[in-house]
Amino acid sequence: MSRTAPAGPRGAALGTAGLVAFAALWEAVTRTGLVDGRFLPPFSRTVAALGRELGDGTFWSALGDTLTGWALGLAIATAAGIAAGFVIALVPYLRRATASTIEFLRPIPSVALIPLVVLVYGTEIASVLVLVVYASFWQVLVQVLYGAQDVDPVAEETARAYGLGPWARLRHVLWPTALPYLMTGVRLAAAVALILAITAELVIGAPGLGNLIAVAQDSQAVPEMYALILVTGLLGVVVNVGARAVERRALAWHQSVRGEVPV
Amino acid sequence: MLEIRHLRKVYEGTGRSVEAIRDIDFTLAQGELVCLVGPSGCGKTTLLKCVAGLLRPSAGSVLLDGSPVTGPRPGLAIVFQEYGRSLYPWLRVGDNVELPLRHRKGLSRTERRTRAAEALATVGLAEAGRAYPWELSGGMQQRVAIARALAYRPEVLLMDEPFAAVDAQTRADLEDLVRRLWTERGMTVLFVTHDIDEAVYLGERVLVLSRSPTVVLEQIEVGLPVRRDQLTTRADPEFTRLRTRVLERIRGTVPDAAARDQ
């Protein structure tokens, strides 16, 4: 829950300056011939190609496919992660029984499942969904489990002393305690889900931005390929900024967001 | 009203068991303010948790109005020492006070609101309902915790070293608040503390506890006037006599405990 994003107008100005410097460096190394223009076209040509893409219906439908796979997969993974996390956290027996299994399954890279999902679902969007859900589910689950462990015994005893039943304690103590962890989990899962959606499209050929990148590469349309890569990068930034905004609103009470309050 | 009958509590650990409370037996009458005082680590918190129904005693029983306390019940409200952890930072002050009432049957939203507002006004925080607990000072937070207990309208108010973590001036104010609640509302209060002066200043009766495994060493009636004041009461020779007596009793347990350990 660390706040890494620089705050305030000064931070925003610095961030913009960094991006401008990056674009200038890109332009410079390609214009001076330091990097072969066939493999990396200058920034200006890439942006021009991006402009052409934005006017093309194929691009927008691919973007739609990618975002659908991403959002749907993330939603399923989040719902499943929350449900499984709370059930496991509430039943000590389950927690002990599942700990080693989770530690075994979690590190398996989703990409390793590509042959399996191609066999089962072919190049349908279902293939993308399975990979996205698998990768992001663990991020959410593990954070929910951490969060559930963090319940303050005094907070829990207070709830019990004042007659709150198991459901009320789940709603009023466990859920708010786990929420900051859950938010972190969803933010991580959102980034992982995007990576997996693009990867799956690229490798399997399911419809989406990843597939367009593969097509651009096959047809030697190098500036278009970089333009699409830029788009995936921008998507990542938008997803992260969006997730942080949601976090700040939902966790206004939390130490990490409110900072120190002078009393 | 509240009877503690030969209460014993042994914590069963792996391979060894620790006897926290050996035998505690006392009764609180309706409208009494009783202080339990004992050296630190003497099982005061364990005792209060048993009384509140949060812990199951190993032997003996707690009776509220003649019926055994086997779990938390509406007749008992507790104020913990750790106000910062006992109040929920994600709820506003008003919602913190109201939360226990939301799970009471037959209380409308308006009634809950009114009760919470009244309770906050009683502790002098009528304006703080919309604030978050962490925007308030420690003393104010403990007032909120007291308001939450008042809004619950318990038969007995249990207080577990509630003022141990606040500064001396705030502490004096909060002590006077407890005295005022007792005189004005006739509440039944069981107040646990390690502070001898606090016990004598607040209580109508002081129970002196031994070191762990705990027993009641002595019950002392406090003959101080009902209206107490931080300046005059604490200067009263009777106050000095009582606190010396309690202190002697607590100090006197040290050689006993040492002899037993050998």
Side-chain angles (χ1 to χ4, degrees):
Chain A
M1 292 292 306
S2 65
R3 283 192 297 172
T4 46
R10 191 150 172 277
L14 271 176
T16 313
L19 285 176
V20 170
F22 174 72
L25 186 69
W26 180 349
E27 192 73 27
V29 294
T30 49
R31 290 288 175 197
T32 54
L34 214 61
V35 176
D36 192 332
R38 278 177 303 167
F39 305 128
L40 179 63
F43 178 69
S44 49
R45 276 185 64 205
T46 308
V47 171
L50 179 61
R52 285 195 298 282
E53 288 292 336
L54 294 181
D56 187 350
T58 331
F59 167 79
W60 290 106
S61 83
L63 180 66
D65 285 337
T66 299
L67 286 181
T68 308
W70 169 79
L72 208 55
L74 183 62
I76 295 171
T78 304
I82 293 172
F86 279 130
V87 169
I88 292 172
L90 289 175
V91 186
Y93 170 78
L94 265 181
R95 198 163 52 212
R96 286 194 299 275
T98 55
S100 51
T101 316
I102 290 174
E103 285 314 307
F104 170 69
L105 290 176
R106 187 160 72 107
I108 295 178
S110 248
V111 185
L113 301 177
I114 286 179
L116 175 72
V117 297
V118 171
L119 271 177
V120 179
Y121 298 107
T123 57
E124 299 292 315
I125 192 169
S127 293
V128 178
L129 266 185
V130 170
L131 295 175
V132 168
V133 169
Y134 187 87
S136 35
F137 170 74
W138 301 110
Q139 305 283 348
V140 178
L141 175 70
V142 168
Q143 289 295 327
V144 169
L145 289 178
Y146 283 149
Q149 300 238 315
D150 198 38
V151 169
D152 191 309
V154 177
E156 178 73 11
E157 265 180 344
T158 303
R160 280 179 55 215
Y162 283 102
L164 271 67
W167 278 111
R169 294 206 298 275
L170 177 75
R171 161 83 185 76
H172 294 292
V173 183
L174 182 57
W175 173 258
T177 304
L179 196 58
Y181 292 85
L182 174 64
M183 289 285 180
T184 305
V186 172
R187 182 157 48 79
L188 297 175
V192 169
L194 188 64
I195 294 171
L196 259 295
I198 307 272
T199 310
E201 292 158 6
L202 192 76
V203 178
I204 303 174
L209 284 180
N211 189 30
L212 277 196
I213 292 174
V215 171
Q217 186 214 10
D218 286 344
S219 50
Q220 301 286 314
V222 179
E224 282 71 20
M225 188 182 81
Y226 277 101
L228 292 165
I229 294 172
L230 270 188
V231 171
T232 59
L234 286 175
L235 273 185
V237 172
V238 170
V239 164
N240 202 13
V241 167
R244 281 193 184 279
V246 172
E247 240 178 79
R248 268 198 303 278
R249 281 193 67 85
L251 301 178
W253 55 269
H254 194 267
Q255 188 108 42
S256 67
V257 178
R258 73 185 200 227
E260 283 303 314
V261 178
V263 176
Chain B
M1 142 151 280
L2 182 71
E3 297 168 64
I4 286 87
R5 290 277 158 267
H6 298 291
L7 193 102
R8 179 164 190 261
K9 177 68 185 176
V10 181
Y11 288 104
E12 298 292 350
T14 40
R16 73 194 201 109
S17 59
V18 178
E19 187 182 27
I21 297 173
R22 177 159 292 167
D23 180 12
I24 290 186
D25 196 279
F26 66 91
T27 303
L28 229 74
Q30 167 96 45
E32 249 197 314
L33 201 177
V34 171
C35 288
L36 290 174
V37 64
S40 27
C42 82
K44 299 185 292 278
T45 297
T46 300
L47 171 63
L48 211 63
K49 281 182 182 170
C50 288
V51 174
L54 290 169
L55 274 179
R56 205 166 267 275
S58 309
S61 57
V62 176
L63 304 172
L64 180 64
D65 291 330
S67 78
V69 175
T70 51
R73 48 192 275 183
L76 298 165
I78 185 161
V79 176
F80 290 94
Q81 178 187 337
E82 304 97 334
Y83 48 81
R85 294 162 62 194
S86 179
L87 296 174
Y88 300 148
W90 48 84
L91 293 180
R92 291 176 194 279
V93 163
D95 295 326
N96 262 294
V97 176
E98 227 185 289
L99 181 62
L101 308 180
R102 283 164 64 169
H103 299 275
R104 280 266 180 101
K105 288 193 181 69
L107 265 183
S108 75
R109 199 184 164 79
T110 336
E111 280 173 303
R112 290 195 321 245
R113 285 276 154 84
T114 319
R115 269 208 206 183
E118 275 173 10
L120 281 170
T122 307
V123 300
L125 289 175
E127 308 297 317
R130 298 284 299 159
Y132 282 97
W134 37 269
E135 294 173 314
L136 306 178
S137 68
M140 286 160 97
Q141 289 184 42
Q142 194 56 293
R143 281 172 194 267
V144 174
I146 293 171
R148 178 172 62 188
L150 292 179
Y152 200 61
R153 301 207 179 146
E155 293 170 60
V156 181
L157 177 60
L158 306 171
M159 305 187 90
D160 183 15
E161 304 204 36
F163 311 142
V166 297
D167 62 85
Q169 185 52 52
T170 309
R171 184 176 191 145
D173 293 343
L174 288 168
E175 284 167 4
D176 289 337
L177 172 66
V178 171
R179 280 299 297 183
R180 180 164 65 80
L181 291 174
W182 179 74
T183 47
E184 287 176 4
R185 301 193 157 209
M187 297 190 67
T188 311
V189 185
L190 182 59
F191 192 104
V192 167
T193 179
H194 65 264
D195 183 326
I196 295 164
D197 288 39
E198 184 168 82
V200 174
Y201 181 75
L202 282 179
E204 294 297 298
R205 182 152 61 102
V206 174
L207 301 188
V208 185
L209 302 179
S210 73
R211 280 178 185 257
S212 193
T214 316
V215 295
V216 178
L217 291 173
E218 191 175 359
Q219 304 212 17
I220 298 170
E221 296 292 332
V222 177
L224 293 166
V226 170
R227 284 196 63 87
R228 295 184 192 173
D229 174 278
Q230 293 286 352
L231 288 175
T232 52
T233 305
R234 285 180 192 273
D236 192 321
E238 176 67 4
F239 180 87
T240 319
R241 191 187 66 81
L242 286 166
R243 70 178 291 276
T244 309
R245 173 118 169 261
V246 174
L247 186 60
E248 276 169 0
R249 217 57 189 91
I250 288 179
R251 285 275 170 84
T253 66
V254 179
D256 285 354
R260 202 174 39 238
D261 287 344
Q262 279 157 11

